[in-house]
Amino acid sequence: MPVFDSSQTMMAGAAAQATGGIDVGTYTDGKSLTFNDGSSQFLYDTPAGEGSRDIWTFSCWIKRHTLGTYQSIFGAWSSDADRDVLRFTDGDTLNWQSSQSSSTKELLTNRKFRDTSAWYHIVLKVDTTLTTETDRYRLYVNGVEETDLATNTAHSGASGKVNDDVIHWIGARGHGAGPTVDSYGDFSLAGISLVDGKSLDPSAFAHESPETGAWVMEDIPTNEAAATGGNLVSHAGQYRVHKFTSNGTISFSQGGKVEYLVVGAGGGGGGNY
């Protein structure tokens, strides 16, 4: 269950560390949002039901406009004792903070993000079921994991509020009673993705260009499908073609977008879909 779903701005791809900067191409033309903290602008949504709070991925492309203030990118709120936020701090570091039953767990970078002319690709990869604690919450910028951390306690916490059936924000945070909304963003955002039930590497949202070495935006990954009662005929571009030779089923994994066509021919034709 993606909480925020915009096929115009979700991105994807495959690879590792970029050496030639960021290449957003034309993906942000008419497909990015600019937030002005002076106008208290933000987006919010409350999911109708709970998704996976243990396994999920958040990805976005962001260009900063103002430095030196707390600016929230994404978060969720249930109460002041139970809330999550991904944000830039007033020291221009990147911070994931999760208050769980009033106990604060967080990742805080030593690295500062002060280039207002550049786009950053940020990925927060979560799987709290992993045995190795330090693998449970992992933060990436431009395809590279942030391992130089001033604070690294997020892994010791339980699941937070992201993907719970509580209010989620983009461009602000909720805290206190009510809640109080503050820490408004002053930046541009594109390619905002919250993937429910999948813990994905940055290579699921971008790739390194072999020609330029730049970290390049691409289309969102498609939903994986599995079918029984026939055989895989071919891959047609990004599409998987499956021919049913008898009664069968088709099922889809979580995350991504689904496009499918069922054609009935011969015998009783297609049905039960």
Side-chain angles (χ1 to χ4, degrees):
M1 176 202 67
V3 172
F4 301 99
D5 183 355
S6 170
S7 60
Q8 288 187 322
T9 58
M10 288 182 169
M11 314 297 171
Q17 181 172 352
T19 57
I22 298 295
D23 181 4
V24 297
T26 60
Y27 285 99
T28 58
D29 293 349
K31 301 175 185 177
S32 62
L33 295 175
T34 297
F35 295 80
N36 181 350
D37 58 354
S39 299
S40 303
Q41 298 168 333
F42 61 93
L43 302 176
Y44 68 93
D45 182 70
T46 301
E50 182 177 328
S52 174
R53 293 164 56 195
D54 300 316
I55 303 173
W56 52 271
T57 309
F58 177 78
S59 170
C60 74
W61 302 75
I62 188 167
K63 185 177 183 181
R64 305 197 67 190
H65 301 314
T66 300
L67 305 177
T69 62
Y70 279 99
Q71 296 179 39
S72 298
I73 302 169
F74 165 71
W77 178 94
S78 174
S79 69
D80 203 40
D82 293 281
R83 55 185 171 84
D84 300 333
V85 64
L86 176 65
R87 62 184 179 178
F88 291 110
T89 69
D90 58 355
D92 300 316
T93 55
L94 190 58
N95 177 223
W96 164 252
Q97 186 181 91
S98 181
S99 294
Q100 302 165 6
S101 300
S102 298
S103 177
T104 300
K105 311 296 182 181
E106 62 183 315
L107 302 175
L108 177 66
T109 67
N110 280 310
R111 182 182 175 189
K112 300 180 186 299
F113 300 88
R114 290 176 167 165
D115 189 345
T116 56
S117 67
W119 283 89
Y120 296 105
H121 180 215
I122 297 173
V123 172
L124 180 60
K125 174 184 175 181
V126 178
D127 186 346
T128 63
T129 69
L130 294 176
T131 302
T132 303
E133 289 188 348
T134 52
D135 288 341
R136 294 176 182 172
Y137 287 83
R138 302 173 71 175
L139 187 61
Y140 300 81
V141 178
N142 299 346
V144 182
E145 184 171 4
E146 292 293 317
T147 56
D148 183 12
L149 299 171
T151 305
N152 184 11
T153 59
H155 58 272
S156 62
S159 302
K161 303 309 293 182
V162 170
N163 280 336
D164 200 353
D165 53 354
V166 301
I167 192 167
H168 290 54
W169 278 280
I170 287 178
R173 70 155 187 170
H175 74 100
T180 299
V181 181
D182 61 13
S183 297
Y184 298 103
D186 201 274
F187 42 59
S188 294
L189 280 176
I192 307 165
S193 303
L194 174 58
V195 183
D196 179 8
K198 296 288 184 180
S199 183
L200 302 175
D201 291 327
S203 59
F205 304 93
H207 76 275
E208 183 178 348
S209 167
E211 290 82 18
T212 66
W215 191 243
V216 183
M217 292 174 141
E218 288 191 2
D219 292 327
I220 185 175
T222 56
N223 193 303
E224 290 297 319
T228 62
N231 61 289
L232 180 67
V233 178
S234 64
H235 285 82
Q238 63 178 320
Y239 295 99
R240 181 175 296 181
V241 179
H242 188 94
K243 180 180 179 181
F244 287 95
T245 54
S246 63
N247 288 339
T249 62
I250 186 168
S251 61
F252 300 94
S253 61
Q254 293 176 315
K257 63 183 178 181
V258 179
E259 297 175 358
Y260 64 94
L261 173 67
V262 178
V263 179
N272 299 323
Y273 58 84

